[in-house]
Amino acid sequence: MLRRPRRNRKSSATRGLIRETRLSVENFVQPLFLVDGSNVKEQIPSLPVASRYSLDHAMDEINACKELGISSFMIFPAIPEELKDRTATYSWAEDNFYLKAIQTIKSQIPEVCLISDVAMDPYSSDGHDGYVEHGKILNDPTLPILQKMAVAQAQAGFDIIGPSDMMDGRVEAIRLALDDNGFDETSIMSYTAKYASAFYGPFRDALDSAPKAGDKKSYQMDPANKNEALIEAELDVQEGADFIMVKPALNYLDIIHSLKSEFETPVAAYHVSGECAMLLAAAEKGWLDLNTAMPETLLSIKRAGADVIITYFARMWAEMQG
Ligand code: PBG
């Protein structure tokens, strides 16, 4: 045999020489769930690697992650039911605890990069990402609501606005609103190819944000489709997205690869709650070894082409490098 691929695998040193993909804390985003109040730290039963934190504990968590080299965070608010309404007015309210918390974090740790979530569902009494009338999720009437939400978030100090709602035209609407209000330096990470997935369950438990009626299939994408992801990406890039995201990650590695091949705009992948929960559950049963299965999973997302990886395991991965 003239060629023996195993020769390059014979030792840790040779394997290291030829390793094609490496994970780095610099590419990770740690998601955090925020609640109002103080001294709250409630583990999410269906996602035991994550908790709902009040601001004081969230700050500790951010500082601990920063020590480990993680500098980007995606922050999601859990809003009490009584503050929800049909038009998500709390999302831009003066006394909104989420916006106030962001101001505090940015004033105390200005170097961290904070990424928001723009969608109506955490604030909506209907639990949908868009405005609902007679059971239908209406596109164009949702856009001004998303604009107000995004401007309020930029004002609070978010570095990157993250529209996750999947309404048509929202990236352009948000870009124009941000620019009109002097936030031309605020970036947009668009949830470009967000699929109507079964893997968001633990996240909806964490925020209590499941739709009250119906499902999200008229706005989130059909898991069967790939061409549609390219259309969404083309629109988002034209509309001014600074990052294009694929979500979830693992069942959509082919989509990550396509977007990375077809577009120059950086690609983010969201390793969602249900994908993390699967690994945690199998590990808890002793069926998988989390310490090897988790890094292998994250590596596959990077190898597929993701520049940015949003994962609930960011901190745990960073701790394992020590
Ligand atoms: C809300 C939103 C969802 C997630 C991020 N933003 C849930 C949904 O669309 O129902 C899911 C993230 C996860 O599962 O980790 N627009």
Side-chain angles (χ1 to χ4, degrees):
M1 266 185 265
L2 296 179
R3 299 194 66 188
R4 286 181 180 269
R6 284 190 57 194
R7 275 196 291 265
N8 282 348
R9 292 181 221 139
K10 70 184 162 208
S11 68
S12 172
T14 60
R15 290 192 293 273
L17 284 176
I18 62 159
R19 186 156 296 126
E20 296 171 40
T21 311
R22 285 192 169 79
L23 291 168
S24 159
V25 281
E26 290 189 316
N27 302 120
F28 285 144
V29 176
Q30 176 73 55
L32 294 175
F33 300 119
L34 197 69
V35 287
D36 201 4
S38 63
N39 202 22
V40 185
K41 186 178 175 178
E42 300 162 343
Q43 202 180 50
I44 317 296
S46 51
L47 187 64
V49 73
S51 299
R52 288 186 208 96
Y53 297 110
S54 51
L55 177 59
D56 45 351
H57 282 290
M59 290 284 260
D60 293 346
E61 185 65 19
I62 290 171
N63 279 317
C65 287
K66 251 193 72 206
E67 291 285 304
L68 295 161
I70 299 166
S71 11
S72 296
F73 301 87
M74 206 166 239
I75 319 256
F76 297 98
I79 309 290
E81 202 57 40
E82 62 273 17
L83 294 175
K84 300 182 184 180
D85 60 20
R86 289 185 59 213
T87 51
T89 50
Y90 185 69
S91 65
W92 62 84
E94 279 289 325
D95 58 348
N96 177 312
F97 79 87
Y98 173 61
L99 301 175
K100 287 200 287 195
I102 298 310
Q103 279 171 5
T104 308
I105 299 169
K106 279 305 276 188
S107 67
Q108 297 194 16
I109 331 173
E111 66 276 21
V112 292
C113 171
L114 301 183
I115 308 171
S116 76
D117 181 42
V118 171
M120 287 178 65
D121 58 336
Y123 314 94
S124 153
S125 43
D126 296 300
H128 275 288
D129 297 20
Y131 175 69
V132 181
E133 221 170 66
H134 309 301
K136 281 190 88 170
I137 292 89
L138 302 185
N139 195 88
D140 297 9
T142 303
L143 299 180
I145 297 173
L146 302 176
Q147 286 178 312
K148 276 190 254 185
M149 196 183 301
V151 169
Q153 292 174 350
Q155 225 143 26
F158 272 110
D159 302 274
I160 303 180
I161 302 298
S164 69
D165 54 282
M166 289 304 278
M167 297 300 121
D168 292 336
R170 91 275 205 207
V171 172
E172 181 177 13
I174 291 171
R175 183 70 271 157
L176 293 175
L178 290 174
D179 290 356
D180 275 351
N181 286 277
F183 297 110
D184 50 290
E185 282 191 15
T186 307
S187 317
I188 298 177
M189 180 182 285
S190 176
Y191 288 59
T192 295
K194 176 171 179 179
Y195 286 88
S197 168
F199 289 84
Y200 306 147
F203 177 96
R204 294 179 191 168
D205 292 345
L207 298 192
D208 200 13
S209 65
K212 302 282 164 37
D215 55 42
K216 297 192 173 188
K217 289 182 185 163
S218 75
Y219 47 106
Q220 299 182 349
M221 283 174 50
D222 183 339
N225 294 352
K226 183 168 179 173
N227 288 334
E228 213 178 329
L230 297 172
I231 297 174
E232 288 286 0
E234 200 176 313
L235 288 170
D236 281 359
V237 169
Q238 279 168 6
E239 291 178 32
D242 302 287
F243 302 82
I244 49 179
M245 189 201 293
V246 177
K247 173 184 175 186
L250 294 180
N251 293 343
Y252 302 90
L253 293 176
D254 57 331
I255 310 296
I256 297 174
H257 181 255
S258 289
L259 293 204
K260 186 63 194 167
S261 323
E262 301 289 328
F263 296 89
E264 289 77 34
T265 303
V267 174
Y270 198 144
H271 182 220
V272 300
S273 58
E275 301 180 294
C276 296
M278 283 197 299
L279 284 174
L280 291 167
E284 194 183 290
K285 279 189 169 286
W287 293 350
L288 280 179
D289 172 30
L290 191 64
N291 289 337
T292 48
M294 182 263 276
E296 179 181 331
T297 300
L298 298 180
L299 197 61
S300 77
I301 300 171
K302 176 115 185 220
R303 196 190 60 239
D307 301 293
V308 178
I309 301 175
I310 302 139
T311 176
Y312 300 92
F313 287 129
R315 177 175 176 176
M316 194 188 281
W317 185 88
E319 275 168 346
M320 282 166 47
Q321 309 313 304

